[in-house]
Amino acid sequence: MIQNKPEPKDFEKQSVQYLIQALDLIRSNDESFDFIEDCDVRKEDYWEYHQGILNNSLTLLFLSLENYLKKEICGVSPLLLLAGEPKKWGSSKSNKKFSELFIHQFDDLLVLYQELGLGDLTAQTKTKLEDLRIKRNQITHGVTEGVLTPNYVLETFYTVAVHIWGPRKWWDQLKSHVFNEPLFGIYDSDHEKASVTSYAEFLVSYLGKSKSGEMLGVNLKQRTYYCPSCHYWLNHEFDVTDSNYAILNPNTPTSKNLYCVVCDQNYEVERARCQEPDCKGNVIGGDNYCLTCWTEQDEDR
């Protein structure tokens, strides 16, 4: 008998962890570079020198995708993950641990994923995934060709997030993992929750609002507003960054519902003209702040 068979959640946890690490490798180094003042080094030159970081990021993205496929297939049966002849798996007289057996390689997992009806991949997506597989193999064997860029890694992630995970799904898993981290809330849980804004900012900086919005499951090309909660908690002690990833839902001139993609909350807002002369905003909320320019409004207006 095969013992210690895995459950889908086992692969899902690894998949999300690899994904966050893949993003953080680029994000943290990007932030460090941008923090340097009066720097005459081009960012392109910086990343061309640090190919090892991008190689690791792409490898982690590949591992994240591979574990996601395992999670989906395991949901049907963990036995479908096993390679080789079933007669070699074990028998009632010879127990074997699942971890001691061979699991299908990426190519086979991708075929199983499609044949089991777990996902339908376009020709363009298949081409992108094949390119990812080839580059990952080159990295593993130490014979890389060409120069990797953060844009390439994140464009590949865009394909994986939209066409395999599905818009928004990966984002919810990432936030759930961050919010359940053992040290979460040590400093300030509201601030740390709002800090997930940095991931949205990072994606927009490389992929733009259209693709980033598609990945996050919202339309970021429509007008966005400061989140009454996230923006406040990021800046109530000292300025950190703008958290303006909230949108009107529905997006109508009279809508009073504001949804934030970071904290996943809906807020009731007031539709009134901002008192700041240079601001054309008309969405007021968050203790009487204009959510377009974050200017406090006169309560007697």
Side-chain angles (χ1 to χ4, degrees):
M1 295 291 290
I2 299 176
Q3 298 178 326
N4 300 331
K5 297 184 184 72
E7 297 182 11
K9 64 180 181 181
D10 299 321
F11 296 113
E12 182 178 44
K13 182 177 180 180
Q14 290 194 90
S15 178
V16 175
Q17 288 182 343
Y18 285 138
L19 173 62
I20 293 175
Q21 291 172 42
L23 294 177
D24 282 350
L25 274 176
I26 301 177
R27 187 174 66 97
S28 60
N29 281 275
D30 240 28
E31 290 176 352
S32 297
F33 181 89
D34 293 338
F35 185 74
I36 302 174
E37 297 181 357
D38 301 323
C39 178
D40 58 357
V41 177
R42 297 191 315 149
K43 186 174 285 189
E44 292 83 355
D45 295 333
Y46 172 83
W47 280 118
E48 184 173 350
Y49 182 82
H50 288 290
Q51 287 294 287
I53 295 173
L54 296 177
N55 287 343
N56 288 337
S57 178
L58 194 68
T59 300
L60 287 165
L61 178 58
F62 180 89
L63 289 171
S64 179
L65 170 59
E66 191 173 48
N67 275 275
Y68 178 82
L69 296 176
K70 291 176 183 177
K71 186 265 290 189
E72 293 291 290
I73 295 169
C74 185
V76 180
S77 172
L79 297 180
L80 291 170
L81 294 171
L82 296 177
E85 300 175 2
K87 65 182 180 181
K88 297 180 180 179
W89 292 350
S91 65
S92 58
K93 296 181 180 180
S94 177
N95 294 330
K96 288 187 178 180
K97 293 182 180 180
F98 188 93
S99 59
E100 296 174 343
L101 301 170
F102 291 101
I103 292 181
H104 286 297
Q105 295 183 346
F106 178 77
D107 289 346
D108 294 328
L109 292 173
L110 202 57
V111 170
L112 283 168
Y113 174 76
Q114 295 173 85
E115 291 297 327
L116 291 169
L118 301 173
D120 186 22
L121 307 181
T122 65
Q124 185 177 6
T125 299
K126 291 178 183 177
T127 299
K128 192 73 174 180
L129 296 183
E130 176 62 11
D131 190 48
L132 170 61
R133 184 191 67 81
I134 291 172
K135 279 190 166 53
R136 183 264 186 177
N137 285 348
Q138 290 176 352
I139 293 169
T140 300
H141 297 302
V143 288
T144 56
E145 299 176 3
V147 177
L148 278 182
T149 65
N151 299 75
Y152 173 82
V153 177
L154 291 169
E155 285 286 350
T156 302
F157 172 52
Y158 163 78
T159 298
V160 172
V162 172
H163 299 289
I164 297 189
W165 264 294
R168 175 84 183 246
K169 187 177 179 181
W170 71 272
W171 179 241
D172 289 338
Q173 291 176 337
L174 179 148
K175 290 191 293 184
S176 177
H177 181 76
V178 171
F179 300 156
N180 286 295
E181 206 276 335
L183 294 179
F184 179 80
I186 290 283
Y187 166 68
D188 182 297
S189 59
D190 292 310
H191 178 91
E192 291 173 31
K193 186 175 183 179
S195 293
V196 176
T197 294
S198 62
Y199 285 99
E201 288 182 315
F202 171 64
L203 293 175
V204 171
S205 70
Y206 275 102
L207 299 174
K209 285 190 173 183
S210 181
K211 287 186 175 180
S212 298
E214 190 177 359
M215 295 169 68
L216 299 173
V218 296
N219 179 14
L220 292 181
K221 294 187 72 176
Q222 73 181 67
R223 180 172 292 181
T224 57
Y225 300 90
Y226 291 112
C227 171
S229 177
C230 293
H231 191 73
Y232 171 79
W233 286 110
L234 283 177
N235 298 283
H236 75 292
E237 292 184 351
F238 49 86
D239 292 342
V240 177
T241 188
D242 293 335
S243 186
N244 52 347
Y245 292 94
I247 60 171
L248 289 172
N249 185 28
N251 185 26
T252 63
T254 59
S255 178
K256 293 186 177 182
N257 182 70
L258 192 72
Y259 170 73
C260 176
V261 72
V262 174
C263 62
D264 197 30
Q265 296 295 316
N266 290 281
Y267 301 92
E268 184 175 354
V269 296
E270 179 186 353
R271 302 306 298 267
R273 184 67 183 269
C274 175
Q275 295 171 340
E276 186 70 18
D278 296 330
C279 179
K280 297 181 179 180
N282 63 352
V283 177
I284 311 299
D287 293 330
N288 214 29
Y289 278 83
C290 171
L291 300 183
T292 300
C293 69
W294 200 254
T295 299
E296 189 172 9
Q297 306 293 293
D298 185 349
E299 293 184 0
D300 296 328
R301 66 182 184 278

